[in-house]
């Protein structure tokens, strides 16, 4: 007989702590983008070296997600999550040391990336397992809101704080947020074996559908980042926005992304296929529209907001789908989806960089649209009908 579910306030506290942790991890990952010059000047390294702190972070997550998920599959999630959040806190605080060199900062980033790779694999099953199976999508939606707030609030606020209090200050705050998440998880999350939860396995295992979702993640993310990596240059050279206006447009992109995730989350359980197909189609239309009409400023802003409102829901919906169709343990399946996402980020940036001298800034968005259209084709391709045995003659 299974253990009774925790009290509602305990479940709410765990979800809130995991939302805060997702916000902290995502902000930590991307914060150096907003502090490039400050960090480079203080550490005495190039902008490229600081940029590698972000690129290397994503690649680490992509490479280690699956092996770590498999190696830790039997550890009680209360202890595992507490340990991961402890690594996040220490990694953030190590960055604040006045004597921290680039090498120490790089080591702290690698350790934090290892923790994040495993966090994304186990966070969903832990939170979903606290609720009834029919609420899986809504819980994933809430967790995605926490991660999306990093783009809209975390990175801009960290950039502002870094400009006024030094680049180490926002990392100190992030360490405190990680500690708060750790204390709540350690105090409230029940201690149970992962396989005891209904969320440990897919609700409707389907290996073919699982592979379709992975392909959708990889193709759509590669498509998005083929253009998005160079969006600042696009807004400047193609759309004609000034530096201050670019910041406002990117903020609008983030707000649209948060709105998309917030509105889509409650629909994941009722419309599992539509909540994935519609955002992928919208992303295709947005990228293609930017290629064709991005020189008009009003059109460019509208299409970038459409892109923001679709990119976040795509990944959220793939995570929800993975929890539904995972052919084995869900944490391993989610780790594979996270790896596909991070591979897509790196591949998109590399592809866009290769196309830039050949096809220009517009061409990167056209290539992104074609890749995303490929994801939509894979997603909507009809499943093969099972072969029927020939009738026997009498």
């Amino acid at each position: 007989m299974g253990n009774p579910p925790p009290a509602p306030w305990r479940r709410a506290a765990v979800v809130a702590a995991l939302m805060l942790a997702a916000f902290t991890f995502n902000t930590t990952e991307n914060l150096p983008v907003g502090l490039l010059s400050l960090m480079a000047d203080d550490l005495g390294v190039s902008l490229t070296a600081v940029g590698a702190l972000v690129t290397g972070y994503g690649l680490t997550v992509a490479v280690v997600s699956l092996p770590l998920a498999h190696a830790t599959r039997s550890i009680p999630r209360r202890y595992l999550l507490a340990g991961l959040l402890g690594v996040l806190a220490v990694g953030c605080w190590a960055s604040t040391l006045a004597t921290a060199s680039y090498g120490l900062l790089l080591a702290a980033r690698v350790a934090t990336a290892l923790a994040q790779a495993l966090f994304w694999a186990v966070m969903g099953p832990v939170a979903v397992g606290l609720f009834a199976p029919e609420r899986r999508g809504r819980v994933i939606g809430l967790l995605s809101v926490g991660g999306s707030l990093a783009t809209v609030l975390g990175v801009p606020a960290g950039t502002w704080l870094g400009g006024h209090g030094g680049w180490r200050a926002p990392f100190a705050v992030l360490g405190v947020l990680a500690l708060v998440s750790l204390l709540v998880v350690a105090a409230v999350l029940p201690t149970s074996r992962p396989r005891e939860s209904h969320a440990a396995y897919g609700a409707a295992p389907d290996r073919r559908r699982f592979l379709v979702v992975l392909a959708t993640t990889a193709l759509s993310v590669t498509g998005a980042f083929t253009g998005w990596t160079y969006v600042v240059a696009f807004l400047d050279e193609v759309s004609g926005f000034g530096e201050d206006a670019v910041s406002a447009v990117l903020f609008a992109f983030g707000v649209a992304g948060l709105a998309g995730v917030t509105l889509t989350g409650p629909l994941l359980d009722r419309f599992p296929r539509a909540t994935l197909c519609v955002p992928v189609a919208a992303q295709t239309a947005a990228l293609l529209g930017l290629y064709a009409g991005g020189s008009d400023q009003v059109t460019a802003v509208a299409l970038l907001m459409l892109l923001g409102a679709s990119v976040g829901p795509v990944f959220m919906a793939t995570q929800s789908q993975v929890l539904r169709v995972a052919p084995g343990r869900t944490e391993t399946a989610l780790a594979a989806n996270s790896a596909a996402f991070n591979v897509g980020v790196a591949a998109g940036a590399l592809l866009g960089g290769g196309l830039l001298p050949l096809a220009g800034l517009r061409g990167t968005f056209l290539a992104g649209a074609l890749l995303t259209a490929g994801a939509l084709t894979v997603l909507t391709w009809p499943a093969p009908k099972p072969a029927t045995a020939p009738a026997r003659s009498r």
Side-chain angles (χ1 to χ4, degrees):
M1 183 178 295
N3 296 323
W9 73 265
R10 286 179 175 269
R11 288 179 280 172
V14 170
V15 171
L18 293 177
M19 289 176 68
L20 179 61
F23 169 84
T24 307
F25 267 118
N26 274 8
T27 303
T28 301
E29 178 179 5
N30 295 294
L31 185 57
V33 173
L35 303 173
L36 279 177
S37 298
L38 291 174
M39 295 177 71
D41 291 343
D42 184 62
L43 295 170
V45 298
S46 67
L47 292 176
T48 302
V50 178
L53 296 175
V54 177
T55 306
Y57 194 110
L59 291 175
T60 300
V61 173
V63 171
V64 304
S65 292
L66 270 172
L68 284 180
H70 183 76
T72 59
R73 59 190 305 179
S74 62
I75 300 176
R77 281 359 193 179
R78 179 187 178 192
Y79 304 141
L80 182 60
L81 280 170
L84 297 177
L85 293 170
V87 172
L88 173 60
V90 172
C92 289
W93 288 332
S95 305
T96 68
L97 297 175
T99 56
S101 63
Y102 178 80
L104 177 59
L105 186 59
L106 180 61
R109 296 282 295 179
V110 170
T112 306
L114 293 173
Q116 179 165 329
L118 193 50
F119 175 79
W120 289 122
V122 303
M123 171 185 68
V126 165
V128 165
L130 298 173
F131 297 85
E134 60 270 17
R135 299 184 66 183
R136 287 186 173 200
R138 276 171 284 182
V139 175
I140 289 295
L142 286 173
L143 298 178
S144 297
V145 168
S148 298
L149 279 172
T151 303
V152 180
L153 177 63
V155 174
T159 301
W160 179 88
L161 180 59
H164 289 77
W167 67 265
R168 292 177 171 84
F171 286 102
V173 174
L174 290 169
V176 173
L177 296 181
L179 180 61
V180 170
S181 299
L182 187 161
L183 293 175
V184 173
V185 167
V188 176
L189 183 65
T191 303
S192 59
R193 294 288 174 181
R195 66 181 60 194
E196 296 174 2
S197 167
H198 68 79
Y201 300 94
D206 186 331
R207 183 173 296 277
R208 177 193 171 275
R209 188 66 184 174
F210 172 64
L211 295 175
V212 165
V213 173
L214 286 188
T216 300
T217 298
L219 286 170
S220 64
V221 173
T222 302
F225 278 85
T226 297
W228 174 254
T229 304
Y230 305 95
V231 68
V232 172
F234 182 91
L235 290 173
D236 178 23
E237 299 179 24
V238 177
S239 304
F241 286 101
E243 183 177 346
D244 293 336
V246 167
S247 298
V249 173
L250 295 181
F251 179 75
F253 171 91
V255 170
L258 179 60
V261 167
T262 303
L263 294 174
T264 305
L267 303 175
L268 290 171
D269 293 310
R270 295 174 59 194
F271 309 105
R273 290 190 178 238
T275 48
L276 182 52
C277 291
V278 171
V280 173
Q283 179 179 310
T284 304
L287 291 168
L288 190 59
L290 286 166
Y291 161 73
S295 57
D296 179 80
Q297 292 187 345
V298 174
T299 301
V301 172
L303 290 170
L304 274 174
M305 291 184 72
L306 177 61
L307 182 63
S310 56
V311 170
V314 168
F315 185 62
M316 177 181 66
T318 60
Q319 293 286 85
S320 181
Q321 284 272 317
V322 166
L323 281 172
R324 181 184 298 272
V325 302
R329 290 281 291 271
T330 51
E331 71 267 21
T332 304
L334 288 169
N337 198 46
S338 179
F341 178 91
N342 284 280
V343 167
V345 172
L350 289 173
L351 178 60
L355 289 173
L356 202 56
L358 302 174
L361 289 165
R362 287 178 181 270
T364 62
F365 282 84
L366 175 60
L370 294 175
L371 283 165
T372 311
L376 186 61
T377 301
V378 170
L379 187 59
T380 57
W381 196 267
K385 295 181 179 179
T388 56
R392 294 181 181 179
S393 58
R394 296 191 178 185

